[in-house]
Amino acid sequence: LAYVSFLCRYFRWWYKKTRIEKKSAFIDLLCAVPLQQIYGCPLGGIGGGTITRGWRGEFCRWQLNPGIYHYETVIANQFTVCLRCKGQTVYQQVLSLERPSTLQGWNWGYCGRYAFYHALYPRAWMVYELPGQNVVLTCRQVSPVIPHDYKDSSLPVGVFIWEVENGRNEDVEVSIMFSLQNGTGTKEDRSGGHWNEPFAFEKDGERVAGVLLHHCTRVNPFTLAISAREKADTGVTHLTAFNPVASGREVWQDLLQDGRLDSPAGKSSLTEKGEVTAAAVCATCRVPARGHRTLELALAWDMPRVHFGSKEKLHLRRYTRFFGSRGDAAPALSHHALTHYEEWERKIEAWQKPILENSQLPSWYKSALFNELYFVTDGGTIWVELPPDCCAEDLQGPAGAGLSHLLPVLREYGRFAYLEGQEYRMYNTYDVHFYASFALVMLWPKLQISLQYDIAVTVVNEDIQPRQYLMCGQTAQVKLKNVVPHDIGDPGDEPWQRVNAYLMHDTANWKDLNLKFVLQVYRDYCLTHDSLYLQDMWPVCQAVMESELKFDTDNDGLIENGGFADQTYDAWVVNGASAYCGGLWLAAVCMMCKMAKVLGDAEIQQKYTDILTKGKEAFERMLWNGKYYNYDSSGSDTSSSIMSDQCAGQWFLGACGLDQGEFEVFPKSHVISALKTIFEKNVMSFAGGTMGAVNGMRPDGVPDTSSVQSDEVWVGVVYALAATMIQEGLVEEGFCTAEGCYRTVWERLGMAFQTPEAYREKKVYRSLAYMRPLSIWSMQLALERRASWAPAPVQPAQVPIHP
């Protein structure tokens, strides 16, 4: 009955939102994004928008408006090759398998048997063995996603380096034409008023030429740029405008005639309403017999000034700090990309090489580790500058957080946000970011620090606006003071200004959010040694822990869950003391003791030491059953379920080196026993050990079906579990556990570059392209920590290594 009531409330809310207000729902249960098994490596740096290419070369997923996705394959966006020998065109082909109803004057239908795709984010390779031509093209796609780089990593660009190998005994003239529609394949492309113009940009003796496609919408207008690098042996020509929904015969004949485009001067006319326009750029070079040459092309997009859905505030993207916010940066961005990509690749290779060349690591893990990072850019990600006139008071809100380094940090590194998932449209969903945050803190630590400052500000402020929560039907205020928010807001509204877009539950009573803030603060300090950050966060940690203490209703040093789904497993009811929240609580109490010691706060240290002593005893007494920690202490039919995530507190303690000696919270023998039980039951007794760990398993080896989430596999939780196993020395088990998820998602289900939150044994999945799987970087941290202790690298013995 409660579930039916929820569905009625949800449908009423959904109808009002989507049909009356004409806005999209933050979670749309009625219109899920259909699964398309087509995606490859996305283009673009962090926070400037992304354009995803499929593994067959199509441009098929668009996120230029922050946090808002369009899943449209734009057929005019193609690479075409033209080969000429002795002044004659001998081969001209669109490098696409498609046979569309438009542009039928082009030669479509490239045979897929002669093409190969590889991706290792942020790069991808497409190899074309041109049939019958004895010519091989390799297109290397590069985006500027570079750890510890806070400039070029923000740029909205992608580079295509075409390596041409001529196996003939004669010279070949090779042209690569890059065509692009003005827009993203939506109805806005036909709204009229768009136009194109050729450009050339020269600096430091390097010249880049191409076409600008100005997309003049009322909200968030942008410019696309296609370009190529001119060199002594490379000519660049262009076509300013053509109709991408006609036959395209004039474009094809233009290229066929001499391997070049006509390069008309001047701007195109504005499009009429209902009209679409496109442009093309062509790079041409002569490749000697048995020789090799390179053609370099780029795609850039410039949407410097953005409004979110409410259109209340203007935000400037991060890259505007370096390239200006006037909307005229596309030529300079194109030039920078084409003249700096070699430096980017050197840095990417220096970062990836030690992992790729480590023969102790299975190859699937290397693919998973880097390719899951796609979500850092393609998670609806936004990275904006603070307004120049912004002061600390503007940021801190009415409550005034007293965060002395808030303004300097955000002024220097900007504000960063990414979605819970492409289908779950809430920024910086904190219970999930807890898992994903390892990728940020290890690779872009300043973005994690910035994000934490934003969360800290919201903690001490409140939003007293009342609203009805959909799951329970009760009315409560949007945000309570001294509690961590669920999220920083909806891109369809005004993030940072209005938090907690999540309407399902009132998360003020969730048990995990406050704890996850404390755990991340100390973990961040442990990895960055940023003592100013620790000092600023310390009063906020104390405030959220004081709020949390009210959940210890019997004063035994251990918090109790409230008999509803009051944590990240938001459909899995938990009652009384629990392994998940109780474990997170004890880990957070331990870290409060450690932070108090570092900061010389003896009074707080003693307070939490006393709580820890009591809480550890209660946790063991109420939950330990001799083999593992029970799901909860309620005594219900499922309280003895084996939860795969029961060691989440230990995971964070181990990542910070707080899992032994005076700071040992959970007895080492109990942790090992629990992990071995999870491996035996949740992993090996589920789907033959080939799909990762199911969230909940009954002691008799049957999945717990008491909730819609207990019999799911959560990919990000499995990677975190694998990291915990590796930390505790169960290296082989850790790799075996994580491998099941990788094989299931990236191979069997075809969900490359859209890893879901969850799947079930029988091919049911939920929430494509989700944040939590970034937790795989905690596996890398665990491996690096082990390598630093061990005299030699630890080999994951007998782990199947597939090519």
Side-chain angles (χ1 to χ4, degrees), residues 151-152 155 199-209 228-230 322-323 329 331-340:
K151 179 191 174 185
D152 283 8
L155 302 184
F199 80 93
F201 190 98
E202 188 163 354
K203 182 182 172 187
D204 302 331
E206 293 275 6
R207 183 177 157 92
V208 164
R229 187 179 187 176
E230 290 187 359
F322 315 108
F323 286 87
L333 284 166
S334 304
H335 185 278
H336 188 85
L338 286 166
T339 55
H340 286 77

Side-chain angles (χ1 to χ4, degrees), residues 548-562:
E548 194 78 10
L549 273 169
K550 69 175 178 286
F551 300 129
D552 179 8
T553 53
D554 53 6
N555 198 30
D556 64 352
L558 190 63
I559 61 167
E560 286 82 39
N561 288 85

Side-chain angles (χ1 to χ4, degrees), residues 61-83:
R61 185 168 70 194
W62 305 79
Q63 186 257 145
L64 298 191
N65 282 316
I68 308 298
Y69 276 85
H70 297 294
Y71 303 89
E72 308 282 345
T73 294
V74 183
I75 205 67
N77 298 356
Q78 299 292 348
F79 288 100
T80 298
V81 61
C82 173
L83 303 183

Side-chain angles (χ1 to χ4, degrees), residues 2 8 29 49 273 351 359 375 438 602 650 663 671 729 734:
C8 291
L29 300 177
K273 195 169 177 60
W351 159 46
S359 60
F375 197 82
F438 280 89
Q650 177 71 7
F663 290 105
V671 172

